[in-house]
């Protein structure tokens, strides 16, 4: 009897998770307007963030256009700030923790809303620094920066899903 109740409970929970509002990360499609072409402005397409942004948009189903007239949507990066700050010291005043962050201000314009919508996304992460493992710390910092860029792009895509033309 307990086993039957456990199985029924599990089935109810699985059915609840299968509804429309629930989406795994990256599964909710972008608005159809973005599938008609997106022009990226305000960012070097060869920069680390530019590559991450282009890859994220293409993975989500957007078509990247090279000419603004061919695109139904223009995504302009107004401000991109990637930096780190010291967030912790040891008792001898040596740096022990860094806070890495990425802030992106952007504007989305479509043909239906030429004035555009401005939004901001931010991502941050802490890194514990150990002076004995300098090479490992440098590699960890590079991985953190790459993860932060991907997270900022993911958050940007979520904001794009909410834009109603």
């Amino acid at each position: 009897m307990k086993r039957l109740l456990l199985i029924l409970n599990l089935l109810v929970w699985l059915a609840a998770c299968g509804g429309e509002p629930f989406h795994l990360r990256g599964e909710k499609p972008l608005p159809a307007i973005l599938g008609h072409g997106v022009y990226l402005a305000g960012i070097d397409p060869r920069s680390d963030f530019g590559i991450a942004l282009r890859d994220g948009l293409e993975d989500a189903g957007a078509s990247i256009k090279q000419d603004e007239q061919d695109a139904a949507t223009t995504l302009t990066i107004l401000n991109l700030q990637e930096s780190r700050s010291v967030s912790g010291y040891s008792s001898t005043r040596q740096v022990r923790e860094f806070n890495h962050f990425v802030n992106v201000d952007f504007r989305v314009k479509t043909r239906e809303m030429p004035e555009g919508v401005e939004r901001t996304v931010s991502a941050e992460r802490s890194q514990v620094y150990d002076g004995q493992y300098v090479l490992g710390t440098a590699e960890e910092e590079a991985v953190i920066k790459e993860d932060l860029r991907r997270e900022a792009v993911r958050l940007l895509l979520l904001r794009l899903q909410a834009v109603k033309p």
Side-chain angles (χ1 to χ4, degrees), residues 37-74:
V38 177
Y39 177 74
L40 297 176
I43 189 165
D44 180 9
R46 294 178 305 272
S47 69
D48 292 333
F49 187 78
I51 292 169
L53 180 59
R54 188 184 68 238
D55 290 346
L57 285 167
E58 287 175 346
D59 289 346
S63 170
I64 307 297
K65 301 294 183 182
Q66 301 300 321
D67 188 20
E68 190 170 4
Q69 281 72 29
D70 295 340
T73 304
T74 300

mmCIF file of all heavy atoms in Angstrom, residues 37-74:
data_model
loop_
_atom_site.group_PDB
_atom_site.id
_atom_site.type_symbol
_atom_site.label_atom_id
_atom_site.label_comp_id
_atom_site.label_asym_id
_atom_site.label_seq_id
_atom_site.Cartn_x
_atom_site.Cartn_y
_atom_site.Cartn_z
ATOM 1 N N GLY A 37 15.665 37.656 -37.909
ATOM 2 C CA GLY A 37 16.951 38.323 -38.059
ATOM 3 C C GLY A 37 17.237 39.307 -36.943
ATOM 4 O O GLY A 37 16.389 40.103 -36.575
ATOM 5 N N VAL A 38 18.446 39.204 -36.411
ATOM 6 C CA VAL A 38 18.906 40.098 -35.354
ATOM 7 C C VAL A 38 20.207 40.736 -35.810
ATOM 8 O O VAL A 38 21.117 40.052 -36.286
ATOM 9 C CB VAL A 38 19.143 39.340 -34.031
ATOM 10 C CG1 VAL A 38 19.681 40.269 -32.960
ATOM 11 C CG2 VAL A 38 17.878 38.668 -33.560
ATOM 12 N N TYR A 39 20.274 42.041 -35.688
ATOM 13 C CA TYR A 39 21.498 42.771 -35.990
ATOM 14 C C TYR A 39 22.125 43.186 -34.660
ATOM 15 O O TYR A 39 21.461 43.777 -33.805
ATOM 16 C CB TYR A 39 21.197 44.005 -36.840
ATOM 17 C CG TYR A 39 22.412 44.850 -37.121
ATOM 18 C CD1 TYR A 39 23.375 44.434 -38.021
ATOM 19 C CD2 TYR A 39 22.592 46.061 -36.459
ATOM 20 C CE1 TYR A 39 24.494 45.206 -38.273
ATOM 21 C CE2 TYR A 39 23.706 46.838 -36.711
ATOM 22 C CZ TYR A 39 24.662 46.403 -37.611
ATOM 23 O OH TYR A 39 25.771 47.169 -37.856
ATOM 24 N N LEU A 40 23.391 42.855 -34.454
ATOM 25 C CA LEU A 40 24.109 43.204 -33.231
ATOM 26 C C LEU A 40 24.900 44.478 -33.457
ATOM 27 O O LEU A 40 25.693 44.563 -34.394
ATOM 28 C CB LEU A 40 25.059 42.079 -32.814
ATOM 29 C CG LEU A 40 24.414 40.740 -32.461
ATOM 30 C CD1 LEU A 40 25.471 39.701 -32.153
ATOM 31 C CD2 LEU A 40 23.462 40.906 -31.298
ATOM 32 N N ALA A 41 24.704 45.461 -32.582
ATOM 33 C CA ALA A 41 25.411 46.738 -32.684
ATOM 34 C C ALA A 41 26.030 47.067 -31.336
ATOM 35 O O ALA A 41 25.587 46.592 -30.296
ATOM 36 C CB ALA A 41 24.444 47.850 -33.093
ATOM 37 N N GLY A 42 27.058 47.879 -31.371
ATOM 38 C CA GLY A 42 27.675 48.366 -30.147
ATOM 39 C C GLY A 42 28.666 47.422 -29.512
ATOM 40 O O GLY A 42 29.111 47.661 -28.386
ATOM 41 N N ILE A 43 29.027 46.356 -30.209
ATOM 42 C CA ILE A 43 29.976 45.396 -29.649
ATOM 43 C C ILE A 43 30.812 44.813 -30.780
ATOM 44 O O ILE A 43 30.318 44.608 -31.894
ATOM 45 C CB ILE A 43 29.248 44.282 -28.873
ATOM 46 C CG1 ILE A 43 30.258 43.422 -28.122
ATOM 47 C CG2 ILE A 43 28.387 43.443 -29.781
ATOM 48 C CD1 ILE A 43 29.650 42.548 -27.078
ATOM 49 N N ASP A 44 32.078 44.591 -30.477
ATOM 50 C CA ASP A 44 32.971 43.958 -31.445
ATOM 51 C C ASP A 44 32.591 42.477 -31.537
ATOM 52 O O ASP A 44 32.630 41.765 -30.534
ATOM 53 C CB ASP A 44 34.426 44.102 -30.987
ATOM 54 C CG ASP A 44 35.417 43.474 -31.940
ATOM 55 O OD1 ASP A 44 35.017 43.063 -33.056
ATOM 56 O OD2 ASP A 44 36.604 43.392 -31.566
ATOM 57 N N PRO A 45 32.203 41.988 -32.719
ATOM 58 C CA PRO A 45 31.780 40.588 -32.833
ATOM 59 C C PRO A 45 32.908 39.588 -32.577
ATOM 60 O O PRO A 45 32.636 38.419 -32.345
ATOM 61 C CB PRO A 45 31.259 40.484 -34.267
ATOM 62 C CG PRO A 45 31.789 41.659 -34.989
ATOM 63 C CD PRO A 45 32.094 42.718 -33.982
ATOM 64 N N ARG A 46 34.147 40.064 -32.569
ATOM 65 C CA ARG A 46 35.275 39.172 -32.309
ATOM 66 C C ARG A 46 35.700 39.185 -30.842
ATOM 67 O O ARG A 46 36.599 38.441 -30.453
ATOM 68 C CB ARG A 46 36.445 39.548 -33.209
ATOM 69 C CG ARG A 46 36.158 39.308 -34.689
ATOM 70 C CD ARG A 46 37.329 39.738 -35.561
ATOM 71 N NE ARG A 46 37.719 41.114 -35.345
ATOM 72 C CZ ARG A 46 37.214 42.178 -35.973
ATOM 73 N NH1 ARG A 46 36.268 42.013 -36.852
ATOM 74 N NH2 ARG A 46 37.652 43.392 -35.712
ATOM 75 N N SER A 47 35.066 40.029 -30.028
ATOM 76 C CA SER A 47 35.403 40.061 -28.603
ATOM 77 C C SER A 47 34.837 38.817 -27.917
ATOM 78 O O SER A 47 33.972 38.126 -28.461
ATOM 79 C CB SER A 47 34.831 41.326 -27.950
ATOM 80 O OG SER A 47 33.418 41.255 -27.910
ATOM 81 N N ASP A 48 35.331 38.550 -26.724
ATOM 82 C CA ASP A 48 34.874 37.364 -25.997
ATOM 83 C C ASP A 48 33.368 37.414 -25.739
ATOM 84 O O ASP A 48 32.668 36.425 -25.929
ATOM 85 C CB ASP A 48 35.626 37.240 -24.668
ATOM 86 C CG ASP A 48 37.105 36.923 -24.865
ATOM 87 O OD1 ASP A 48 37.442 36.315 -25.895
ATOM 88 O OD2 ASP A 48 37.906 37.287 -23.988
ATOM 89 N N PHE A 49 32.868 38.571 -25.316
ATOM 90 C CA PHE A 49 31.433 38.678 -25.063
ATOM 91 C C PHE A 49 30.648 38.659 -26.369
ATOM 92 O O PHE A 49 29.559 38.089 -26.427
ATOM 93 C CB PHE A 49 31.100 39.944 -24.260
ATOM 94 C CG PHE A 49 29.663 39.987 -23.837
ATOM 95 C CD1 PHE A 49 29.228 39.238 -22.759
ATOM 96 C CD2 PHE A 49 28.736 40.745 -24.530
ATOM 97 C CE1 PHE A 49 27.904 39.244 -22.377
ATOM 98 C CE2 PHE A 49 27.410 40.765 -24.157
ATOM 99 C CZ PHE A 49 26.984 40.012 -23.062
ATOM 100 N N GLY A 50 31.179 39.258 -27.415
ATOM 101 C CA GLY A 50 30.514 39.241 -28.709
ATOM 102 C C GLY A 50 30.341 37.829 -29.241
ATOM 103 O O GLY A 50 29.283 37.484 -29.778
ATOM 104 N N ILE A 51 31.350 37.008 -29.074
ATOM 105 C CA ILE A 51 31.269 35.607 -29.507
ATOM 106 C C ILE A 51 30.243 34.853 -28.672
ATOM 107 O O ILE A 51 29.425 34.097 -29.195
ATOM 108 C CB ILE A 51 32.660 34.948 -29.431
ATOM 109 C CG1 ILE A 51 33.579 35.563 -30.487
ATOM 110 C CG2 ILE A 51 32.556 33.442 -29.613
ATOM 111 C CD1 ILE A 51 35.043 35.183 -30.343
ATOM 112 N N ALA A 52 30.276 35.059 -27.344
ATOM 113 C CA ALA A 52 29.322 34.389 -26.460
ATOM 114 C C ALA A 52 27.886 34.809 -26.791
ATOM 115 O O ALA A 52 26.971 33.983 -26.791
ATOM 116 C CB ALA A 52 29.650 34.695 -25.002
ATOM 117 N N LEU A 53 27.684 36.088 -27.083
ATOM 118 C CA LEU A 53 26.357 36.594 -27.413
ATOM 119 C C LEU A 53 25.859 36.013 -28.729
ATOM 120 O O LEU A 53 24.712 35.547 -28.824
ATOM 121 C CB LEU A 53 26.377 38.120 -27.476
ATOM 122 C CG LEU A 53 25.065 38.816 -27.812
ATOM 123 C CD1 LEU A 53 23.993 38.462 -26.802
ATOM 124 C CD2 LEU A 53 25.277 40.318 -27.866
ATOM 125 N N ARG A 54 26.702 36.023 -29.733
ATOM 126 C CA ARG A 54 26.315 35.465 -31.027
ATOM 127 C C ARG A 54 25.984 33.972 -30.907
ATOM 128 O O ARG A 54 24.962 33.505 -31.419
ATOM 129 C CB ARG A 54 27.433 35.679 -32.049
ATOM 130 C CG ARG A 54 27.002 35.294 -33.468
ATOM 131 C CD ARG A 54 28.127 35.405 -34.471
ATOM 132 N NE ARG A 54 29.120 34.384 -34.184
ATOM 133 C CZ ARG A 54 30.411 34.622 -33.917
ATOM 134 N NH1 ARG A 54 30.870 35.843 -33.931
ATOM 135 N NH2 ARG A 54 31.245 33.648 -33.657
ATOM 136 N N ASP A 55 26.825 33.233 -30.178
ATOM 137 C CA ASP A 55 26.575 31.796 -29.996
ATOM 138 C C ASP A 55 25.272 31.552 -29.240
ATOM 139 O O ASP A 55 24.500 30.652 -29.586
ATOM 140 C CB ASP A 55 27.745 31.141 -29.256
ATOM 141 C CG ASP A 55 29.003 31.056 -30.104
ATOM 142 O OD1 ASP A 55 28.913 31.253 -31.337
ATOM 143 O OD2 ASP A 55 30.079 30.787 -29.524
ATOM 144 N N GLY A 56 25.030 32.343 -28.192
ATOM 145 C CA GLY A 56 23.803 32.183 -27.417
ATOM 146 C C GLY A 56 22.556 32.469 -28.237
ATOM 147 O O GLY A 56 21.555 31.751 -28.146
ATOM 148 N N LEU A 57 22.607 33.529 -29.050
ATOM 149 C CA LEU A 57 21.468 33.863 -29.904
ATOM 150 C C LEU A 57 21.225 32.777 -30.953
ATOM 151 O O LEU A 57 20.084 32.372 -31.188
ATOM 152 C CB LEU A 57 21.686 35.211 -30.583
ATOM 153 C CG LEU A 57 21.507 36.446 -29.712
ATOM 154 C CD1 LEU A 57 22.055 37.679 -30.411
ATOM 155 C CD2 LEU A 57 20.038 36.638 -29.364
ATOM 156 N N GLU A 58 22.289 32.296 -31.570
ATOM 157 C CA GLU A 58 22.137 31.260 -32.589
ATOM 158 C C GLU A 58 21.634 29.954 -31.980
ATOM 159 O O GLU A 58 20.808 29.273 -32.577
ATOM 160 C CB GLU A 58 23.454 31.044 -33.331
ATOM 161 C CG GLU A 58 23.790 32.184 -34.274
ATOM 162 C CD GLU A 58 25.153 32.056 -34.931
ATOM 163 O OE1 GLU A 58 25.973 31.223 -34.469
ATOM 164 O OE2 GLU A 58 25.407 32.801 -35.891
ATOM 165 N N ASP A 59 22.125 29.612 -30.789
ATOM 166 C CA ASP A 59 21.651 28.398 -30.118
ATOM 167 C C ASP A 59 20.172 28.504 -29.760
ATOM 168 O O ASP A 59 19.459 27.500 -29.711
ATOM 169 C CB ASP A 59 22.463 28.116 -28.854
ATOM 170 C CG ASP A 59 23.879 27.655 -29.160
ATOM 171 O OD1 ASP A 59 24.152 27.294 -30.332
ATOM 172 O OD2 ASP A 59 24.716 27.663 -28.235
ATOM 173 N N ALA A 60 19.697 29.713 -29.501
ATOM 174 C CA ALA A 60 18.288 29.933 -29.163
ATOM 175 C C ALA A 60 17.401 30.018 -30.406
ATOM 176 O O ALA A 60 16.189 30.127 -30.285
ATOM 177 C CB ALA A 60 18.143 31.201 -28.333
ATOM 178 N N GLY A 61 17.994 29.999 -31.579
ATOM 179 C CA GLY A 61 17.202 30.002 -32.809
ATOM 180 C C GLY A 61 17.161 31.322 -33.553
ATOM 181 O O GLY A 61 16.440 31.444 -34.538
ATOM 182 N N ALA A 62 17.917 32.306 -33.097
ATOM 183 C CA ALA A 62 17.930 33.601 -33.778
ATOM 184 C C ALA A 62 18.870 33.550 -34.976
ATOM 185 O O ALA A 62 19.876 32.846 -34.965
ATOM 186 C CB ALA A 62 18.365 34.705 -32.826
ATOM 187 N N SER A 63 18.541 34.321 -35.985
ATOM 188 C CA SER A 63 19.370 34.438 -37.171
ATOM 189 C C SER A 63 20.120 35.765 -37.092
ATOM 190 O O SER A 63 19.501 36.826 -37.023
ATOM 191 C CB SER A 63 18.485 34.390 -38.416
ATOM 192 O OG SER A 63 19.226 34.723 -39.557
ATOM 193 N N ILE A 64 21.444 35.723 -37.102
ATOM 194 C CA ILE A 64 22.269 36.925 -36.998
ATOM 195 C C ILE A 64 22.468 37.499 -38.405
ATOM 196 O O ILE A 64 22.911 36.800 -39.308
ATOM 197 C CB ILE A 64 23.645 36.626 -36.360
ATOM 198 C CG1 ILE A 64 23.482 35.900 -35.025
ATOM 199 C CG2 ILE A 64 24.459 37.894 -36.203
ATOM 200 C CD1 ILE A 64 22.759 36.686 -33.972
ATOM 201 N N LYS A 65 22.130 38.769 -38.566
ATOM 202 C CA LYS A 65 22.269 39.447 -39.854
ATOM 203 C C LYS A 65 23.456 40.404 -39.814
ATOM 204 O O LYS A 65 23.765 41.000 -38.789
ATOM 205 C CB LYS A 65 21.002 40.238 -40.195
ATOM 206 C CG LYS A 65 19.750 39.402 -40.268
ATOM 207 C CD LYS A 65 19.816 38.440 -41.425
ATOM 208 C CE LYS A 65 18.520 37.659 -41.532
ATOM 209 N NZ LYS A 65 18.528 36.682 -42.589
ATOM 210 N N GLN A 66 24.104 40.579 -40.962
ATOM 211 C CA GLN A 66 25.256 41.464 -41.077
ATOM 212 C C GLN A 66 24.853 42.899 -41.430
ATOM 213 O O GLN A 66 25.640 43.815 -41.272
ATOM 214 C CB GLN A 66 26.229 40.929 -42.131
ATOM 215 C CG GLN A 66 26.753 39.538 -41.828
ATOM 216 C CD GLN A 66 27.497 39.480 -40.518
ATOM 217 O OE1 GLN A 66 28.231 40.395 -40.170
ATOM 218 N NE2 GLN A 66 27.299 38.400 -39.781
ATOM 219 N N ASP A 67 23.625 43.071 -41.923
ATOM 220 C CA ASP A 67 23.141 44.389 -42.321
ATOM 221 C C ASP A 67 21.882 44.726 -41.528
ATOM 222 O O ASP A 67 20.970 43.898 -41.416
ATOM 223 C CB ASP A 67 22.836 44.391 -43.823
ATOM 224 C CG ASP A 67 22.507 45.776 -44.347
ATOM 225 O OD1 ASP A 67 22.866 46.769 -43.682
ATOM 226 O OD2 ASP A 67 21.894 45.861 -45.420
ATOM 227 N N GLU A 68 21.837 45.928 -40.979
ATOM 228 C CA GLU A 68 20.713 46.325 -40.121
ATOM 229 C C GLU A 68 19.384 46.341 -40.879
ATOM 230 O O GLU A 68 18.333 46.047 -40.304
ATOM 231 C CB GLU A 68 20.985 47.702 -39.508
ATOM 232 C CG GLU A 68 20.012 48.089 -38.435
ATOM 233 C CD GLU A 68 20.426 49.332 -37.684
ATOM 234 O OE1 GLU A 68 21.440 49.961 -38.036
ATOM 235 O OE2 GLU A 68 19.714 49.675 -36.720
ATOM 236 N N GLN A 69 19.390 46.652 -42.159
ATOM 237 C CA GLN A 69 18.150 46.702 -42.935
ATOM 238 C C GLN A 69 17.558 45.310 -43.149
ATOM 239 O O GLN A 69 16.358 45.179 -43.374
ATOM 240 C CB GLN A 69 18.378 47.378 -44.299
ATOM 241 C CG GLN A 69 18.438 48.891 -44.225
ATOM 242 C CD GLN A 69 19.724 49.407 -43.587
ATOM 243 O OE1 GLN A 69 20.760 48.764 -43.678
ATOM 244 N NE2 GLN A 69 19.639 50.542 -42.924
ATOM 245 N N ASP A 70 18.392 44.278 -43.114
ATOM 246 C CA ASP A 70 17.913 42.906 -43.304
ATOM 247 C C ASP A 70 17.303 42.327 -42.031
ATOM 248 O O ASP A 70 16.624 41.301 -42.084
ATOM 249 C CB ASP A 70 19.060 41.991 -43.753
ATOM 250 C CG ASP A 70 19.583 42.376 -45.119
ATOM 251 O OD1 ASP A 70 18.852 43.065 -45.870
ATOM 252 O OD2 ASP A 70 20.729 41.996 -45.438
ATOM 253 N N ALA A 71 17.550 42.944 -40.896
ATOM 254 C CA ALA A 71 17.134 42.391 -39.606
ATOM 255 C C ALA A 71 15.813 42.997 -39.148
ATOM 256 O O ALA A 71 15.561 44.182 -39.332
ATOM 257 C CB ALA A 71 18.209 42.647 -38.556
ATOM 258 N N ALA A 72 14.981 42.167 -38.533
ATOM 259 C CA ALA A 72 13.726 42.644 -37.960
ATOM 260 C C ALA A 72 13.958 43.260 -36.575
ATOM 261 O O ALA A 72 13.147 44.040 -36.106
ATOM 262 C CB ALA A 72 12.731 41.496 -37.854
ATOM 263 N N THR A 73 15.061 42.894 -35.938
ATOM 264 C CA THR A 73 15.370 43.362 -34.577
ATOM 265 C C THR A 73 16.808 43.842 -34.526
ATOM 266 O O THR A 73 17.698 43.220 -35.097
ATOM 267 C CB THR A 73 15.187 42.221 -33.562
ATOM 268 O OG1 THR A 73 13.863 41.701 -33.681
ATOM 269 C CG2 THR A 73 15.419 42.684 -32.146
ATOM 270 N N THR A 74 17.030 44.939 -33.812
ATOM 271 C CA THR A 74 18.388 45.435 -33.575
ATOM 272 C C THR A 74 18.666 45.349 -32.080
ATOM 273 O O THR A 74 17.922 45.908 -31.275
ATOM 274 C CB THR A 74 18.537 46.894 -34.047
ATOM 275 O OG1 THR A 74 18.266 46.950 -35.442
ATOM 276 C CG2 THR A 74 19.951 47.402 -33.780
#
